[in-house]
């Protein structure tokens, strides 16, 4: 018997040879927590009620229990590890720490969803692979409510994904409430497009609530404010931030606007610093994404302020202004104990010492190697394999834009193997700099919740599998069987829309 869990646990031992090797959960079941773990018991109790429609009770004494949860670091080598034992004595969920225990509960939840109340005797020992197991959602191009984002976070938790990259600003929309600069959300959050004319943004209270909700599921919310390009919504709100100072509208086109922050004016730097001082405290993650991608130099070349700034700094080209700005952002973030993350365009200059590179162009390997030569950590988000706004099949009526990123293509991308084909650096050195992988969803052509879910699933399952396995699973056919079971038994249960053609 092979369990249809996603991601697949590292070690699974099914005790099929034992006589009567089935444990049946019933209303008489009792859950006992170790000290200070009552909140996790409530999670399990709720899951059993939701999935099996059974209201099991909680014991608070040392008498015999059917399900026991505990944290015992001494039993594990790696942090975030866990173990599940199901036998004639009942069920034990044990973690190396709270994160490990939570992952044990998510695996147990999948067992309930897929196999119901009758569980085979088994032992599972498991631990995460990559430290960064991410999903990026663009809410600038089209806005999605917090309630829907929480539904996505719930599925991420079940799949043991742990980073929610929140793309909050771009040319087409600013989505963060600002008390200091209110035009950002009052003007910058709406544009001249059907359904987008009214202000749509997240209040600071909503952001804090969402961050807390994700934290409770051991997911960090990593915000992105894209700068110095992709900023026309900012410039529509505060025109003095541009090189020309001309009034522009929030961009109602797709692609890359040439309207970017003026990096020659000191007022731009002051504005950005004050803005970050307000926004940074909303997020508890130690990471902050500054964008840095696809920034045209057109306006800088014409701008007397930028020309003067280049001379003052002794720079040899206009692109160096962006590298100067990236270091400026790095210093602000460092002051707040945050690490800077940027798209791989930031590697075209010397990187700040607290920078992490998110490599996205093509297969992401060249950008990753360039960053690694500067001894900088890398997260792999290749557009040719991990962009989920791309189509899932070659069918003529398939939803999506650009190329095709099939489930198999997502599954088959193995960053370490590809790196070793291009470099003679020993794998141990490379592995230390690979933080992990991430799927990216851009929403220019995704208008509503149903469409976004369709683009996410089932491809996100392949990200979860390879992130947990560090890309070591080579058996796509076996994985695909688990995907089909997961779709039927888990996604249908939670009424998740997904692509049924793969």
């Amino acid at each position: 018997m092979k369990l249809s869990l996603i991601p697949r646990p590292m070690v699974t031992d099914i005790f099929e040879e034992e006589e009567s090797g089935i444990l049946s959960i019933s209303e008489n079941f009792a859950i006992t927590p170790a000290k200070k773990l009552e909140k996790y018991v409530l999670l399990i109790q709720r899951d059993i009620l939701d999935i099996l429609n059974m209201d099991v009770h909680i014991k608070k004494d040392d008498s015999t229990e059917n399900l026991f949860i505990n944290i015992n670091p001494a039993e594990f080598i790696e942090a975030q590890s866990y173990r599940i034992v199901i036998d004639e004595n009942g069920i034990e969920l044990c973690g190396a720490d709270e994160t490990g225990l939570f992952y044990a509960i998510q695996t147990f939840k999948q067992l309930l969803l897929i196999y119901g109340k009758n569980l085979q005797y088994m032992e599972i020992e498991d631990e995460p692979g990559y430290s960064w197991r991410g999903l990026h959602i663009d809410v600038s191009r089209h806005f999605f409510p917090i309630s829907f984002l929480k539904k996505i976070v719930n599925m991420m938790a079940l799949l043991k994904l742990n980073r929610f990259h929140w793309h909050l600003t771009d040319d087409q929309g600013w989505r963060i409430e600002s008390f200091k600069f209110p035009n950002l959300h009052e003007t910058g959050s709406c544009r001249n497009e059907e359904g987008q004319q009214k202000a749509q943004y997240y209040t600071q209270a909503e952001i804090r609530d969402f961050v807390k909700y994700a934290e409770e599921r051991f997911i960090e919310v990593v915000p992105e404010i894209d700068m110095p390009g992709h900023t026309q919504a900012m410039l529509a709100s505060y025109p003095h931030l541009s090189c020309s100072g001309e009034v522009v509208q929030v961009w109602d086109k797709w692609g890359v606007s040439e309207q970017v922050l003026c990096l020659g004016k000191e007022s731009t730097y002051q504005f950005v610093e004050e803005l970050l001082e307000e926004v940074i405290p909303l997020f508890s993650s130690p990471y902050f994404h500054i964008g840095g991608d696809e920034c045209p130099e057109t306006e800088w070349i014409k701008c007397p302020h930028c020309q003067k700034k280049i001379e003052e700094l002794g720079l040899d080209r206009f692109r160096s202004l962006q590298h100067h700005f990236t270091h400026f952002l790095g210093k602000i973030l460092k002051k707040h104990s945050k690490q800077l993350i940027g798209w791989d365009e930031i590697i075209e200059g010397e990187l700040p010492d607290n920078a992490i590179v998110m490599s996205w162009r093509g297969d992401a390997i060249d950008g990753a190697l360039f960053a690694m030569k500067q001894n900088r950590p890398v997260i792999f988000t290749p557009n040719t394999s991990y962009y989920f706004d791309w189509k899932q099949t070659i069918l003529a009526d398939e939803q999506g834009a650009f190329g095709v990123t099939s489930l198999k293509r997502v599954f088959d991308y193995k960053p370490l193997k590809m790196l070793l084909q291009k470099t003679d650096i020993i794998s141990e050195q490379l592995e230390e700099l690979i933080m992990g992988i991430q799927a990216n969803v851009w929403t220019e052509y995704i208008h509503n919740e149903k469409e976004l879910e369709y683009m996410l699933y089932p491809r996100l399952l392949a990200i979860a599998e390879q992130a947990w396995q560090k890309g070591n699973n080579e058996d796509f056919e076996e994985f695909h069987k688990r995907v089909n079971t997961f779709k039927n038994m888990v996604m249908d249960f939670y009424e998740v829309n997904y692509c049924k053609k793969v």
Side-chain angles (χ1 to χ4, degrees):
M1 175 184 178
K2 289 187 176 181
L3 297 175
S4 294
L5 303 172
I6 296 179
R8 184 181 67 191
M10 294 296 183
V11 179
T12 304
D13 189 6
I14 308 296
F15 306 149
E16 295 179 282
E17 72 283 356
E18 295 192 13
E19 186 178 353
S20 303
I22 298 290
L23 179 73
S24 293
I25 300 174
S26 70
E27 293 278 3
N28 297 322
F29 232 63
I31 311 172
T32 305
K35 290 181 179 179
K36 299 181 181 180
L37 297 179
E38 287 82 0
K39 66 179 180 180
Y40 296 104
V41 170
L42 295 176
L43 284 181
I44 297 170
Q45 186 184 43
R46 185 189 65 198
D47 289 340
I48 292 174
L49 179 61
D50 290 346
I51 298 166
L52 301 181
N53 197 27
M54 292 182 186
D55 191 8
V56 299
H57 57 285
I58 299 171
K59 282 190 175 181
K60 295 186 178 179
D61 55 41
D62 294 328
S63 60
T64 303
E65 68 283 327
N66 301 102
L67 196 157
F68 179 66
I69 67 171
N70 191 21
I71 290 175
N72 190 352
E75 293 187 22
F76 301 91
I77 297 174
E78 298 293 336
Q80 303 184 12
S81 303
Y82 71 88
R83 184 184 66 251
I84 297 176
V85 178
I86 302 175
D87 58 22
E88 67 276 6
N89 298 315
I91 301 170
E92 181 187 11
L93 309 181
C94 186
D97 45 31
E98 286 196 54
T99 308
L101 179 59
F102 181 78
Y103 290 154
I105 294 170
Q106 299 312 301
T107 298
F108 179 64
K109 186 175 180 179
Q110 285 197 35
L111 289 171
L112 296 179
L113 286 160
I114 296 170
Y115 300 102
K117 67 179 182 179
N118 298 316
L119 301 178
Q120 183 79 41
Y121 289 176
M122 70 180 75
E123 182 171 354
I124 294 173
E125 294 183 0
D126 204 7
E127 64 187 49
Y130 289 132
S131 63
W132 189 287
R133 307 182 299 279
L135 171 63
H136 159 288
I137 300 289
D138 163 25
V139 297
S140 172
R141 276 54 177 263
H142 285 99
F143 181 83
F144 296 89
I146 291 290
S147 58
F148 176 64
L149 298 182
K150 286 181 176 179
K151 184 180 180 183
I152 292 176
V153 161
N154 290 340
M155 186 58 68
M156 288 178 66
L158 190 61
L159 294 169
K160 305 183 182 73
L161 297 168
N162 67 347
R163 300 288 192 279
F164 184 94
H165 177 172
W166 207 1
H167 188 86
L168 287 156
T169 73
D170 217 293
D171 292 314
Q172 295 85 3
W174 177 278
R175 305 301 184 189
I176 312 170
E177 180 184 38
S178 172
F179 298 130
K180 191 167 188 61
F181 303 109
N183 284 1
L184 286 172
H185 65 268
E186 292 173 359
T187 299
S189 71
C190 49
R191 65 175 180 266
N192 185 27
E193 181 191 343
E194 185 178 353
Q196 304 297 315
Q197 294 95 340
K198 66 177 183 178
Q200 293 179 306
Y201 60 90
Y202 305 104
T203 67
Q204 293 194 13
E206 286 177 316
I207 290 171
R208 288 193 177 92
D209 171 70
F210 180 64
V211 168
K212 182 174 182 292
Y213 186 89
E215 275 184 344
E216 290 169 351
R217 288 148 184 82
F218 293 87
I219 294 170
E220 289 180 8
V221 177
V222 180
E224 180 183 353
I225 296 181
D226 208 340
M227 299 180 283
H230 289 288
T231 51
Q232 188 161 324
M234 289 178 69
L235 305 183
S237 307
Y238 293 94
H240 74 277
L241 298 172
S242 71
C243 290
S244 68
E246 295 178 3
V247 175
V248 296
Q249 302 299 313
V250 175
W251 216 30
D252 58 1
K253 300 179 178 65
W254 308 135
V256 180
S257 170
E258 293 187 348
Q259 296 295 323
V260 301
L261 291 178
C262 178
L263 300 187
K265 299 176 183 175
E266 286 305 312
S267 57
T268 301
Y269 295 84
Q270 181 181 350
F271 181 97
V272 168
E273 183 165 9
E274 291 181 17
L275 174 64
L276 289 177
E277 293 286 345
E278 179 182 20
V279 171
I280 287 171
L282 299 175
F283 300 92
S284 56
S285 171
Y287 307 104
F288 198 101
H289 205 298
I290 56 92
D293 62 315
E294 299 178 324
C295 184
E297 302 175 37
T298 314
E299 294 297 305
W300 296 341
I301 293 171
K302 298 185 296 185
C303 175
H305 303 288
C306 292
Q307 293 167 4
K308 183 179 178 183
K309 190 74 168 179
I310 280 182
E311 291 178 10
E312 289 177 355
L313 296 172
L315 303 177
D316 58 350
R317 57 195 180 116
F318 283 94
R319 180 58 62 199
S320 297
L321 272 178
Q322 180 172 351
H323 309 321
H324 168 73
F325 183 68
T326 301
H327 280 263
F328 165 76
L329 296 175
K331 289 176 183 176
I332 297 172
L333 294 173
K334 199 169 188 177
K335 185 173 69 172
H336 290 270
S337 301
K338 305 285 187 182
Q339 280 193 270
L340 178 152
I341 303 178
W343 301 110
D344 61 37
E345 283 89 338
I346 68 171
I347 65 176
E348 293 163 12
E350 184 182 352
L351 292 168
D353 60 7
N354 62 335
I356 296 167
V357 174
M358 196 166 270
S359 192
W360 71 276
R361 289 180 286 185
D363 64 9
I365 300 302
D366 288 341
L369 283 173
F370 202 94
M372 288 170 164
K373 288 175 182 176
Q374 297 188 47
N375 202 36
R376 303 314 311 152
V378 175
I379 301 161
F380 288 82
T381 64
N383 66 336
T384 54
S385 295
Y386 286 176
Y387 271 33
F388 287 3
D389 48 319
W390 289 32
K391 297 178 181 180
Q392 301 188 64
T393 74
I394 60 173
L395 298 175
D397 63 344
E398 186 60 81
Q399 181 178 327
F402 311 110
V404 176
T405 302
S406 65
L407 178 68
K408 189 174 189 304
R409 189 177 182 90
V410 179
F411 180 87
D412 284 344
Y413 181 83
K414 310 284 195 298
L416 182 58
K417 180 188 288 187
M418 297 175 72
L419 282 167
L420 291 173
Q421 292 172 354
K422 288 196 174 186
T423 179
D424 56 0
I425 302 174
I426 61 172
S427 60
E428 289 82 359
Q429 290 174 320
L430 288 177
E431 283 194 89
E432 288 178 1
L433 292 172
I434 300 175
M435 290 184 66
I437 61 176
Q438 175 175 290
N440 289 350
V441 186
W442 303 97
T443 60
E444 289 95 333
Y445 304 100
I446 300 173
H447 303 85
N448 55 56
E449 298 172 17
K450 187 174 181 180
E451 288 180 0
L452 181 50
E453 283 190 334
Y454 179 91
M455 302 305 286
L456 275 176
Y457 307 112
R459 290 184 289 188
L460 192 61
L461 307 188
I463 293 289
E465 178 78 9
Q466 297 297 20
W468 193 262
Q469 296 283 340
K470 288 185 103 169
N472 290 322
N473 188 352
E474 302 281 353
D475 191 344
F476 177 75
E477 294 304 319
E478 185 274 337
F479 168 72
H480 196 240
K481 290 178 182 177
R482 283 186 282 130
V483 167
N484 288 332
T485 300
F486 196 93
K487 288 191 295 187
N488 294 333
M489 304 303 294
V490 179
M491 291 189 178
D492 286 348
F493 181 87
Y494 288 115
E495 298 181 343
V496 174
N497 187 41
Y498 57 84
C499 177
K500 297 178 173 63
K501 305 168 190 174
V502 296

